[in-house]
Amino acid sequence: MPALTDSGACGPADTLIVLLPGRGMLLDELSSEGFIDRFRAAGLRADLVRADAHMGYYKDRSVVDRLQADVIGPARSQGYRHIWLAGISLGGLGALLYADEHPEEIDGLLLIAPYLGEPQTAADVAAQGGPERWRPPAQTDDAIGVRAWTCLQRYVGPRAAHTPLYLAFGVDDRLAPTHRVLAPALPPQRVLTAPGGHDWPAWRPLWKRSLAQAPLPRCSDHRP
């Protein structure tokens, strides 16, 4: 899996953010749409990797294995001790799938407008009282949605994982109905919204706010 590394704002870092693009999104697009500039402006003692996790990796179900072999495993070898996953739309799903299979490797998740399956699956989750109470069906036409919501159960309820999950979405996003099913199950400070739909005008400010809100190391932090 090809990847591009962007250094942080304040020298050597032991924290890495792995950013997964949305469907059909090019790595250069993340730069031209201001994501790299906003990352550097956030003043984080962290580096960023843009991983080219395109649709083909999802179709052949290799996205988790390739991220491990080509991105996260090598990052560990380079000395990164803390790894956060971030993803936009389909990339949000990829981040969630990876964290579910390798929970011990991930320090946090930043999901921007994540794809969480079909609306009927989210409606079923809501009808059962939310993700904590939901029980997956024995049969489904939305296998990826059932998988996504099963993964999400790790992050809700009194036994939720300590790994923080941040959800960010535009209020007019076509996927917002599914996001609104998840949002009440998360701590309010981990749910971010912005005007706009499933596009860059909403994603840019949400990325900026996610980086500001998350407990990531800052250039201003005291270092012995």
Side-chain angles (χ1 to χ4, degrees):
M1 180 181 291
L4 296 174
T5 300
D6 302 285
S7 298
C10 50
D14 65 1
T15 296
L16 182 68
I17 303 171
V18 178
L19 177 58
L20 308 182
R23 181 175 182 176
M25 193 180 294
L26 301 177
L27 296 189
D28 286 347
E29 197 173 359
L30 293 165
S31 178
S32 63
E33 291 293 344
F35 264 48
I36 309 310
D37 288 342
R38 283 167 172 80
F39 160 69
R40 292 201 173 111
L44 299 176
R45 193 174 293 278
D47 295 331
L48 180 74
V49 164
R50 290 174 272 166
D52 192 16
H54 57 69
M55 189 65 184
Y57 293 106
Y58 293 87
K59 286 183 176 180
D60 68 11
R61 301 183 181 182
S62 68
V63 64
V64 170
D65 289 343
R66 294 308 344 143
L67 278 170
Q68 168 59 33
D70 300 335
V71 180
I72 293 175
R76 291 289 188 191
S77 298
Q78 293 166 24
Y80 289 103
R81 297 176 56 201
H82 306 287
I83 294 179
W84 282 64
L85 294 180
I88 305 168
S89 191
L90 182 67
L93 173 64
L96 189 61
L97 294 175
Y98 188 94
D100 188 64
E101 291 194 27
H102 300 279
E104 71 288 348
E105 294 184 8
I106 302 305
D107 290 80
L109 293 165
L110 305 176
L111 307 184
I112 299 176
Y115 175 69
L116 301 176
E118 297 301 316
Q120 66 266 23
T121 302
D124 182 48
V125 173
Q128 292 190 40
E132 183 184 356
R133 297 183 178 183
W134 174 72
R135 295 295 176 266
Q139 295 183 332
T140 181
D141 294 326
D142 181 27
I144 195 63
V146 169
R147 174 76 192 283
W149 286 98
T150 301
C151 294
L152 286 166
Q153 288 184 313
R154 180 188 299 275
Y155 303 96
V156 301
R159 298 183 180 179
H162 293 297
T163 304
L165 182 151
Y166 288 78
L167 171 68
F169 62 95
V171 294
D172 296 317
D173 193 313
R174 67 177 184 272
L175 304 182
T178 65
H179 304 146
R180 292 191 177 101
V181 174
L182 173 60
L186 297 173
Q189 68 272 21
R190 295 182 187 170
V191 179
L192 307 175
T193 59
H198 199 73
D199 208 345
W200 296 106
W203 298 341
R204 285 190 293 263
L206 289 169
W207 173 239
K208 179 179 179 180
R209 290 176 57 200
S210 296
L211 294 176
Q213 187 79 6
L216 290 158
R218 312 280 158 179
C219 296
S220 57
D221 292 345
H222 172 73
R223 290 180 68 116

